[in-house]
């Protein structure tokens, strides 16, 4: 299974942008890059996903390197509620409904007021 | 957005008893549901994948007779921890997906199981 590498932890100040990196050098051409986050004592929450092009939604932006071996999740203005563990996951496309998400260790983001 | 409801949110049971956890997709039909467990300060570990009407597929090292999964309808999956022991104490999380398999997962809020 293709794996991802993320820093264990990062810190940010409130209302500043945050760039969360993820390396996935063994990604294959059909793997999707998914990001989820998990607040304490809760289930994970979907953030964003992409394949090749950069993606934007109301929560965040996803910048994907041209060679797809790395990506960056961008939170444009961090708030205290963004403090969570952020998981970068490759969704391997086996071509069916059994494609599954295998979580890595994630990045613990701390947001300082 | 789509909602996955998981119950109970926490349960305490005696060693040797069985515990059932329910996972429901409230406003969509879940073709596939997944069950994860998470120990404190660790990541989520996938236990099994279930498709409606068929047997669950368990990940390596997960005992299928210990963790019974039933996915009887497109909106309900259950996980039963049989003959629970203290080492089964963990945070159990379900997730559900509609569609082709490349879309996002929706997660339940988790169930904290404590076995005494």
């Amino acid at each position: 299974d293709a794996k991802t590498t993320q820093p264990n932890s990062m810190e940010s100040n409130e209302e500043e942008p945050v760039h969360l990196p993820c390396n996935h050098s063994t990604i294959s051409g059909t793997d999707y890059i998914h990001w989820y986050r998990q607040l304490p004592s809760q289930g994970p929450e979907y953030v964003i996903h992409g394949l090749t092009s950069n993606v934007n939604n109301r929560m965040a932006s996803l910048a994907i390197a041209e060679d797809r071996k790395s990506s960056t999740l961008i939170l444009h203005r961090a708030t205290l509620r963004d403090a969570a563990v952020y998981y970068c996951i490759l969704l391997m496309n086996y071509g069916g409904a059994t494609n599954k998400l295998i979580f890595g260790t994630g990045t613990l983001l701390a947001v300082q007021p | 957005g789509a909602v996955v409801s998981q119950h109970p949110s926490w349960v305490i049971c005696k060693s040797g008893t069985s515990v059932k956890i329910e996972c429901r997709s409230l406003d969509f039909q879940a073709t596939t549901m997944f069950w994860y467990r998470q120990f404190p300060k660790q990541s989520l570990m996938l236990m099994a994948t279930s498709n409606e009407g068929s047997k669950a597929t368990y990940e390596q090292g997960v005992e299928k007779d210990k963790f019974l999964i039933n996915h009887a309808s497109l909106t309900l999956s259950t996980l039963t921890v049989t003959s629970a022991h203290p080492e089964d104490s963990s945070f159990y999380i379900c997730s559900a997906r509609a569609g082709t398999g490349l879309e996002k997962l929706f997660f339940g809020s988790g169930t904290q199981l404590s076995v005494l």
Side-chain angles (χ1 to χ4, degrees), chain A residues 35-51:
Chain A
W35 284 82
Y36 290 76
R37 70 181 186 182
Q38 185 180 25
L39 279 66
S41 301
Q42 295 187 28
E45 172 188 30
Y46 168 82
V47 178
I48 201 166
H49 77 282
L51 182 62

Side-chain angles (χ1 to χ4, degrees), chain A residues 32 34 36 38 41-46 49 87 91-93 95-105, chain B residues 31-32 34 36 38 42-44 46 49 51 59 91 93 97 99-105 107-110:
Chain A
Y32 281 73
H34 278 238
Y36 290 76
Q38 185 180 25
S41 301
Q42 295 187 28
E45 172 188 30
Y46 168 82
H49 77 282
Y87 295 99
L91 182 61
M92 283 156 276
N93 183 2
T98 54
N99 298 337
K100 53 192 180 183
L101 286 178
I102 304 298
F103 283 75
T105 53
Chain B
T31 52
T32 307
F34 303 87
Y36 294 83
Q38 184 176 33
Q42 293 188 22
S43 186
L44 285 77
L46 180 64
T49 303
N51 294 298
E59 295 296 305
F91 192 52
I93 308 167
R97 177 173 60 210
T100 63
L102 297 176
E103 289 131 14
K104 57 190 176 185
L105 292 188
F107 286 83
S109 53

Side-chain angles (χ1 to χ4, degrees), chain A residues 67-87:
Chain A
D67 63 5
R68 299 209 328 126
K69 293 186 176 182
S70 65
S71 61
T72 302
L73 178 71
I74 303 165
L75 306 179
H76 296 285
R77 286 184 66 198
T79 69
L80 296 178
R81 288 177 294 180
D82 291 322
V85 178
Y86 286 79
Y87 295 99

Side-chain angles (χ1 to χ4, degrees), chain B residues 5-11 18-24 33-37 47 67-71 76-82 88 90-95 108-114:
Chain B
S5 175
Q6 186 174 340
H7 290 283
S9 55
W10 59 268
V11 58
S18 295
V19 174
K20 180 185 283 189
I21 302 169
E22 286 192 352
C23 181
R24 294 181 184 272
M33 286 187 170
F34 303 87
W35 287 94
Y36 294 83
R37 67 187 298 184
M47 299 175 68
F67 300 101
L68 300 179
I69 292 171
N70 183 278
H71 192 164
L76 174 64
S77 176
T78 60
L79 167 68
T80 301
V81 183
T82 63
D88 299 324
S90 186
F91 192 52
Y92 293 87
I93 308 167
C94 71
S95 66
S109 53
T111 298
Q112 181 62 52
L113 171 63
S114 296

Side-chain angles (χ1 to χ4, degrees), chain A residues 20-32:
Chain A
L20 297 164
C22 180
N23 287 322
H24 29 77
S25 59
T26 59
I27 191 171
S28 72
T30 55
D31 293 346
Y32 281 73

